[in-house]
Amino acid sequence: MNVNMNPNSELIQSAVNVPNLAQVPEALISQARQFQSAMMMYTCAIREVKTKLEVLNDELSIRHQRNPIEVIKSRVKKPTSIVEKLIRRNLPVSVESMCTNLDDIAGIRVICSFVDDIYTVANMLVSQDDVTVIAIKDYIKHPKPNGYRSYHLIIEVPVYFSEEKRNIRVEVQIRTIAMDFWASLDHQLKYKKDVDNAEEIGEQLRQCAEVIAETDQRMLSIRKDIEAKTVKKE
């Protein structure tokens, strides 16, 4: 009889990824250590929120026999973008100013399958007692003039370090696969230079956004119809 006596045989080993040191922009070089420390904290805040979302997705996958979340993406804002945004808003370029005035340094994008999944995930996330809601912008019910749709949350979560607890803000954007497809292409096209018929193209994109929104609603309706018929059979 072959018996594995290794007490760790059922454990899964994984490497701990240490955040890379953030490149310090020239404008903040005098505060290099503080800047890198702040960026590390934002990276850790992203981990906290991603874990919450992954746990919710696991639970909902068991409850509904499907995963409401398709993809979770994250990023910490680039140092140059941080400085540019502070300057654009006529704010002091400092670590303190950055942490006080910018809510989107830590960003998470959640891609869901259906529109109702967006609200389910958002409501479950903000109902947790250690999550503080700072702001909500519902661009699904109230799209931007160009057709952009997404659900935006600014939340604050506690992150525990060796000597302190810090409440750190994270921007969470939740959208469907179709909304993300449109937003990605719109973002790419905005960087095209010397477009003669920019207004016409903008209108075409807005119309595409309407078609995509209609498709999202039809797909949701089809899913609900399938679920209703499945329940009746059971």
Side-chain angles (χ1 to χ4, degrees), residues 8 34 40 65 87 151 157 166 171 173 183 186 191 195:
N8 294 321
Q34 297 98 309
M40 176 274 296
Q65 297 298 299
I87 293 172
Y151 192 86
V157 294
R166 293 287 294 270
E171 181 187 51
Q173 298 179 356
D186 179 66
Y191 284 90
V195 179

Side-chain angles (χ1 to χ4, degrees), residues 99-213:
C99 295
T100 301
N101 297 302
L102 301 186
D103 294 330
D104 63 344
I105 296 175
I108 292 178
R109 184 172 299 156
V110 183
I111 313 300
C112 292
S113 304
F114 299 94
V115 175
D116 62 343
D117 291 331
I118 293 173
Y119 294 100
T120 298
V121 170
N123 290 335
M124 292 182 76
L125 177 63
V126 303
S127 67
Q128 297 187 11
D129 58 13
D130 60 344
V131 174
T132 301
V133 178
I134 305 299
I136 296 176
K137 292 183 180 179
D138 190 342
Y139 294 117
I140 299 173
K141 293 180 180 176
H142 307 286
K144 289 186 178 182
N146 68 342
Y148 174 85
R149 287 168 169 81
S150 187
Y151 192 86
H152 290 200
L153 289 164
I154 304 295
I155 60 173
E156 200 169 69
V157 294
V159 183
Y160 293 85
F161 299 100
S162 60
E163 297 179 352
E164 62 176 338
K165 178 186 78 171
R166 293 287 294 270
N167 293 317
I168 300 175
R169 293 186 179 185
V170 179
E171 181 187 51
V172 182
Q173 298 179 356
I174 316 177
R175 57 180 68 155
T176 64
I177 301 167
M179 292 174 192
D180 191 57
F181 164 74
W182 184 91
S184 297
L185 292 183
D186 179 66
H187 180 75
Q188 288 181 33
L189 293 171
K190 279 181 179 177
Y191 284 90
K192 301 293 183 183
K193 304 297 181 182
D194 304 322
V195 179
D196 294 330
N197 56 339
E199 188 173 334
E200 180 184 339
I201 291 173
E203 175 58 22
Q204 291 179 20
L205 284 168
R206 190 194 64 77
Q207 291 176 11
C208 286
E210 294 292 337
V211 173
I212 286 174

Side-chain angles (χ1 to χ4, degrees), residues 27-28 31 35 82 86 91-101:
L28 293 173
Q31 296 180 289
F35 178 79
I82 291 172
L86 289 172
L91 294 168
V93 179
S94 67
V95 173
E96 181 181 3
S97 175
M98 172 187 86
C99 295
T100 301
N101 297 302

Side-chain angles (χ1 to χ4, degrees), residues 16-93:
V16 176
N17 295 318
V18 179
N20 294 324
L21 284 178
Q23 183 180 1
V24 182
E26 194 69 30
L28 293 173
I29 202 71
S30 63
Q31 296 180 289
R33 183 63 64 83
Q34 297 98 309
F35 178 79
Q36 290 181 334
S37 177
M39 298 304 279
M40 176 274 296
M41 291 181 178
Y42 282 113
T43 300
C44 293
I46 285 175
R47 283 181 181 166
E48 293 281 347
V49 178
K50 281 183 70 176
T51 298
K52 290 177 178 294
L53 290 165
E54 288 165 355
V55 170
L56 289 175
N57 197 40
D58 287 347
E59 179 191 351
L60 291 170
S61 69
I62 298 297
R63 186 187 300 179
H64 302 302
Q65 297 298 299
R66 64 180 184 85
N67 292 323
I69 298 176
E70 293 285 341
V71 181
I72 301 174
K73 305 176 183 178
S74 64
R75 65 100 182 98
V76 176
K77 203 171 188 70
K78 293 180 180 179
T80 52
S81 298
I82 291 172
V83 173
E84 288 170 1
K85 192 164 188 177
L86 289 172
I87 293 172
R88 192 164 62 247
R89 292 186 175 184
N90 294 317
L91 294 168
V93 179

